[in-house]
Structure formats: structure tokens, C-alpha cells
Amino acid sequence: MTERAATYAEVFAVREYRYLFGAYLLSLAGDQITAVTVAYVVYTGTGSAALSAAAYASSYLAWLTAGPLLSGLADRFPRRRVLVVCDLARAALIPLAALPNVAAPALVVLLFLVNLLRPPFVAARAALMPEVLDGDRYPVANGVDNICAQVVQVVGFAVGGSLVALLSLRGALLVDAGTFLVSALLIMVGVRRRPAPRPAAGPARPDRAAGLRIIRTDPRLRAYVLVLWTASSFTYAAEGLMAPLARQYGGGAGTVGLLLAAAPTGMALGGVALTRFCPPAVRPRLILPLAVLSAGVLAAVWLVPPLWLVLTLLLLAGAASAFAVPLNALFGRAVPAQLRGRAFGVAITGLSGFQGLAMVTAGLAADRWTPTTVIGFSGLSGALVVLALAPLWPRRAAVVTDGVERLRTPSIADGPTAKVGGGRR
């Protein structure tokens, strides 16, 4: 019997998720406001675009360093405690930026320290989600989170600038700190206490490489992250070229805004389509085709189409990028509970690193070739690389029956699409 897709009402009927969701929105908004506000403080205080960019880009560097080192905290300590401590620590650090006469380099370092606390927070929340939500509510909740993340990403930038204008820099930073305080309060009130995950049988010592090791040795997990990193990187490369792309089309700041908003809008719509209208059994079969499409659709930009068509292509690329929603659920269920935090840390660290590298590489290439050429080549290359990874994709599919995942081998009637494995261990 085919399980129907869970509804949003069923997801939000879970009390713990409602509190986790509210805390997630506040924490994510706080991250965005922090980045915008501190970067603005640095720029207005020094006039240095390099220092301002360093402040804003510190989130990438923080993931590359703290991802492997600190994500494991989610597997060593109760995950609820990790979430609360990360939020309270950020709430304590951010007001320091509002102190008078703080040097710009110190602000950059301070923002880096604040961003160091995001990887363990994200890893702990990702590891906790399969324990809070069962059956199809888990992947649908991932879709809800993804949609809201796209919205908060866009709104957070605008809110950060508006807070500075309305409340002054100091007031904006205090409001920012308040978002983390309220997030911590929601988690303390609404998320029940759980013990730290039981360590696997073996030496009783922390193993920071365990997350990388299980991904490297498990063919399913290895295929999941390779597809995610590859498709996202080649698609994400375009985001770093929106300003020169707008200039190529004779547009200004308004055109840049439209170009930047297209992909997140598409991803939000794609997340709704996958989680609300697509049956659970079908989603895994769509991951590879959508991953290929997310990059491949951008190959048409090489032909320098009209601006409206470029916007449409970016929207489609974003919608196809929603393949990450069911992929995230498969990954979370395939990792043993005691390693889930470290495994998510490795996956997100690699994703951030490859996306950042893709943006830098695309920017360097755009100094020699037109933005449309670079974006088109990147899209075509990404589609071909994902297709080359298809033989690595697991040949077994997860079937959810009465909320319990079971593995099955696909029949010929399932068609040629590769299936995925995601059973609990």
C-alpha cells in the first residue's frame, strides 16, 4: 500500500516540532541579521570593502573549521543542551560588537566566533529531527524548513538593514541577541530532555573522524553526499555572478535583486511540490533526475537568452534544487543515531566548502569570459558530473509502511530510475 504524503497540519501537530521550528526561524534570522549588521559596522567604520567581505564570508570559514571539530558535540552531549548552549553563547557574544571603540579586525574575529557556534547547532538540530518526527512527517518537515530558510535568507537581509536604520547599529545588535535568547527559551520550554546518544560499542573515546569514516565506507551515504555536493556546487556557482550578469544585460541593483531572488523562490516552490503533492514513494526516484536538472537547466544561459528567460531558468534551477529535501531525510535515517551529528557536520561542511570554492572559481572565470558563458558551462558540467555519479547511486529503495522503513529491491515495473536506500539501522 502506498503511503500518502503527510500534511503540514500533521507536521505542526507535533508539539516539539512547533517549538523547534520557531527556534529555528529565530536562530536563522539572527544569523542573517548578525552577518549584515556586523559587515555594515565594519564597512562604515573602516571604508574597507575587503574587511567587510571578510566579516560576511566568515560564515563559510567557520563551517570549514568548526564543522569537522564541533559538530561532534551533537553526538557527545544531549542535543537539546547543545542547542540551548549555542544560542545562549551567541546571545552573549553579539552585544560585544555594540561596545564603543571596538576595532574592525576585532569585529571580524567576533563574528567568526559567533559563526563557530552555528555548525554544532545545525548538527544537533538535524540529528534530533528524526527522533521528534516519524514516518513521512520527517521529510515533509525538512521541506518546511527548507522553504522557510529561503524566505528568511531574503527577508533577513532586508530586516538587518531596516533595523540599523530604525534602531541604530547598537539597537540592531541587541535585537539580534534577543533572537537567540528567545530561541533558547523556546527549546528549553518545548523540547523534552533526552540523554546523549549511546556510543557505539568500541573504545570509549571521542572520535572526530567517525562522521567522515561512515560516509566514506557506506556506499549509500557516499553517493548521497557526492550528488549533493556536486549538483549544489555547479548550480550555486551562478549566485556569485549575479552582479556581473545584471551588468551584461544592462541592468542595475534592481536587476541584481531579481536575479538573486529567483533561485530561492524556485527552491521554496519546489519544496512545496515535493513534500505536499508528491507521494513519499516517488520522491527518492526524483532525486537524481532533479539533481541533473538543477545544474543542466542553466546550460541554456550559455546562449544569452532574454533576461526574462534567464530569470525563468534560475527559477527552474532553484525548484529542481529541492531534491536536497528528500535526500536530507534519506541521509538522516541512514546514519546511526550515535553518529548522526558528526555525519551531518561532515555533509554540511563539505557542502559549504564546495559552494564557496565554486563561487570563487566562477568569479575568476568571469574575469576572462562573459557571465552567461561561465554560468552555462558550469550548468552543463554539473549535469554531466551528476550523470557520471549515477552508477554509484544505491539500487535499493526505502519503503515506508505504517511509519516503519523497510528496504526492498526495485522491480522492473519501477522503471530505469535508480532507487535509494534509507532504512533505519
Side-chain angles (χ1 to χ4, degrees):
M1 183 177 64
T2 302
E3 187 193 37
R4 66 174 179 82
T7 65
Y8 293 147
E10 290 170 339
V11 170
F12 282 101
V14 180
R15 180 177 183 273
E16 281 190 285
Y17 177 72
R18 293 199 300 271
Y19 281 88
L20 274 174
F21 178 75
Y24 173 71
L25 289 188
L26 285 168
S27 186
L28 187 59
D31 286 327
Q32 298 296 322
I33 296 170
T34 300
V36 173
T37 306
V38 175
Y40 184 78
V41 170
V42 171
Y43 184 70
T44 55
T46 66
S48 170
L51 276 175
S52 178
Y56 185 78
S58 65
S59 59
Y60 286 98
L61 183 58
W63 264 110
L64 293 176
T65 54
L69 296 176
L70 299 182
S71 295
L73 295 175
D75 294 330
R76 295 180 58 194
F77 300 100
R79 286 157 181 162
R80 175 181 179 273
R81 185 189 306 170
V82 173
L83 294 172
V84 171
V85 169
C86 288
D87 271 341
L88 292 179
R90 286 185 284 188
L93 285 171
I94 288 169
L96 298 178
L99 296 175
N101 303 319
V102 180
L107 287 174
V108 174
V109 173
L110 178 63
L111 183 57
F112 177 71
L113 293 176
V114 171
N115 283 321
L116 284 179
L117 295 163
R118 179 156 177 76
F121 181 94
V122 171
R125 186 181 185 276
L128 187 60
M129 287 279 283
E131 300 175 21
V132 172
L133 298 156
D134 59 358
D136 193 51
R137 284 189 280 199
Y138 173 46
V140 171
N142 280 319
V144 173
D145 291 346
N146 173 73
I147 294 164
C148 293
Q150 306 306 314
V151 174
V152 171
Q153 180 181 4
V154 176
V155 174
F157 293 141
V159 169
S162 300
L163 285 176
V164 172
L166 292 173
L167 303 177
S168 78
L169 292 171
R170 182 172 300 179
L173 288 168
L174 293 177
V175 170
D176 185 14
T179 63
F180 292 109
L181 279 176
V182 177
S183 173
L185 180 62
L186 287 174
I187 293 168
M188 287 189 286
V189 170
V191 179
R192 70 178 178 85
R193 298 176 185 272
R194 291 176 175 83
R198 284 187 177 183
R205 60 182 179 83
D207 186 357
R208 294 186 177 88
L212 178 60
R213 187 179 304 115
I214 190 172
I215 290 175
R216 190 180 67 244
T217 57
D218 188 313
R220 288 179 302 163
L221 298 179
R222 190 165 63 243
Y224 294 163
V225 297
L226 286 176
V227 168
L228 176 65
W229 290 348
T230 301
S232 298
S233 298
F234 282 98
T235 304
Y236 196 79
E239 187 168 324
L241 300 179
M242 293 299 99
L245 181 63
R247 191 181 308 119
Q248 181 180 347
Y249 278 88
T255 304
V256 175
L258 286 174
L259 291 168
L260 283 171
T265 301
M267 194 165 186
L269 296 173
V272 172
L274 274 177
T275 58
R276 189 65 189 90
F277 303 109
C278 185
V282 175
R283 293 179 205 141
R285 307 177 207 174
L286 296 178
I287 292 175
L288 270 183
L290 288 176
V292 173
L293 181 64
S294 67
V297 71
L298 295 178
V301 178
W302 205 332
L303 302 176
V304 197
L307 181 60
W308 67 267
L309 186 52
V310 173
L311 290 168
T312 302
L313 293 170
L314 290 170
L315 188 77
L316 289 173
S321 295
F323 77 86
V325 174
L327 183 58
N328 179 75
L330 288 176
F331 183 88
R333 284 171 166 163
V335 179
Q338 68 271 15
L339 297 176
R340 201 174 286 144
R342 279 166 285 185
F344 268 111
V346 171
I348 301 172
T349 297
L351 181 63
S352 298
F354 280 113
Q355 286 179 339
L357 178 63
M359 288 183 64
V360 171
T361 303
L364 293 173
D367 284 337
R368 181 169 182 179
W369 295 286
T370 63
T372 50
T373 299
V374 176
I375 293 172
F377 179 78
S378 176
L380 178 60
S381 301
L384 292 175
V385 174
V386 175
L387 285 172
L389 294 173
L392 302 178
W393 196 252
R395 299 295 176 180
R396 304 182 73 186
V399 178
V400 182
T401 306
D402 298 328
V404 179
E405 286 186 288
R406 300 177 175 85
L407 290 177
R408 70 173 175 86
T409 303
S411 66
I412 296 175
D414 291 321
T417 306
K419 303 300 190 293
V420 294
R424 290 186 191 276
R425 297 189 178 187

